[in-house]
Amino acid sequence: TQINGKVNQQYPSWAATYDKEKVAIFAQAGYSYEEFMDCFIKCCGLKDGMNILDVGSGTGLTAIALAKALSGNCKIAGIEPIEAMATSAKANIKKEQLEDVIVIEKAPAESIPSGDSAYDLVTCTFAIRHMNINKALSEFIRVLKPKGKIVIADIYAPEKWRSALGKVMTPFLRFAFRFSKYKAETKSRVLTINEWRTLLEGLGLTIIEIVQFPGKKEPEWELGRAIMVVGR
């Protein structure tokens, strides 16, 4: 599976500053990254001894947060397709002395190097929009145990984006990203909450919970953030 070319342009150069910028991006949206991740951790329903897969691990922020929440009483496999991000993740994991708990491997979400029904929990934070979403979700389902959970966090488009005016404005918003450091967003697939529901249920998944963090300045037009919890 080939990585979106824009992702390949953006993320290798972003690896060194990603952790700080992620927090800053949340602050600009009017939310605390720490509060959001606390909510994400709660949605995971963590239990000691879990076998966890973190997809699109980036610099390891989510995997580390999960490991700390379980005081290291778990096994976490992280997959990340961008070499520079995986290298940063390994450095962060070493710094936190969690090398016995978290193992990072360079691999794409659309072809997970794992057997079937291997994980109690599959997580993916702010990465799935850059993937082939349907293929990635099919892989999440394949590697998930029958009673396991998938917890996804990502941005979502307001329903207004699907209105007549929204369909006119969206191409201009994407065009603007071409001239920013966030070039990957020009090719990302940003869904509305209703579109997410349709997609997830269409794959036979049961929606357990969707927690929304809408934009605070212009909620009808501003991108929101959501945590989606589903089961098989």
Side-chain angles (χ1 to χ4, degrees):
T1 303
Q2 285 194 336
I3 302 167
N4 173 334
K6 297 293 183 183
V7 172
N8 243 340
Q9 289 177 35
Q10 177 177 314
Y11 281 85
S13 60
W14 201 14
T17 58
Y18 180 85
D19 295 357
K20 289 181 180 179
E21 288 196 39
K22 177 66 75 178
V23 174
I25 289 168
F26 264 82
Q28 288 169 10
Y31 292 104
S32 159
Y33 177 74
E34 290 76 13
E35 287 176 10
F36 182 91
M37 285 307 297
D38 283 346
C39 182
F40 182 87
I41 295 294
K42 287 176 184 175
C43 286
C44 289
L46 298 178
K47 295 178 183 177
D48 285 346
M50 270 187 156
N51 201 19
I52 301 169
L53 174 68
D54 184 46
V55 182
S57 285
T59 58
L61 294 178
T62 299
I64 290 168
L66 291 166
K68 285 183 173 181
L70 283 167
S71 301
N73 294 318
C74 59
K75 288 293 180 184
I76 302 175
I79 60 170
E80 167 56 46
I82 302 294
E83 187 69 50
M85 299 294 273
T87 298
S88 290
K90 289 173 184 176
N92 286 337
I93 290 161
K94 184 176 182 180
K95 183 179 178 182
E96 298 289 345
Q97 298 182 326
L98 289 168
E99 294 160 291
D100 292 338
V101 179
I102 308 168
V103 176
I104 299 292
E105 184 175 355
K106 185 175 180 290
E110 298 88 348
S111 182
I112 296 171
S114 170
D116 298 350
S117 303
Y119 298 99
D120 302 291
L121 173 67
V122 177
T123 61
C124 184
T125 53
F126 300 101
I128 198 166
R129 69 184 181 277
H130 299 310
M131 303 170 186
N132 181 314
I133 295 176
N134 293 62
K135 282 186 179 180
L137 285 171
S138 294
E139 279 290 89
F140 294 4
I141 294 166
R142 180 183 69 78
V143 302
L144 187 70
K145 291 181 181 179
K147 293 184 180 181
K149 272 185 183 178
I150 298 169
V151 184
I152 298 166
D154 217 306
I155 59 176
Y156 68 88
E159 293 298 329
K160 280 271 190 179
W161 281 31
R162 302 301 182 251
S163 67
L165 178 58
K167 288 176 181 177
V168 172
M169 293 299 295
T170 303
F172 288 98
L173 294 171
R174 289 189 178 278
F175 183 76
F177 275 116
R178 288 179 58 187
F179 304 99
S180 76
K181 68 187 297 181
Y182 307 118
K183 293 179 175 63
E185 301 304 335
T186 62
K187 298 293 183 180
S188 64
R189 185 181 172 195
V190 182
L191 304 178
T192 66
I193 293 297
N194 284 335
E195 287 167 349
W196 268 114
R197 286 185 184 277
T198 300
L199 176 59
L200 294 167
E201 290 173 347
L203 289 169
L205 291 162
T206 300
I207 296 173
I208 299 168
E209 182 181 15
I210 298 180
V211 183
Q212 297 180 53
F213 295 77
K216 289 192 173 182
K217 295 175 183 176
E218 298 285 346
E220 289 191 334
W221 290 104
E222 194 179 350
L223 287 167
R225 286 155 182 78
I227 300 167
M228 296 169 282
V229 187
V230 297
R232 289 178 66 174

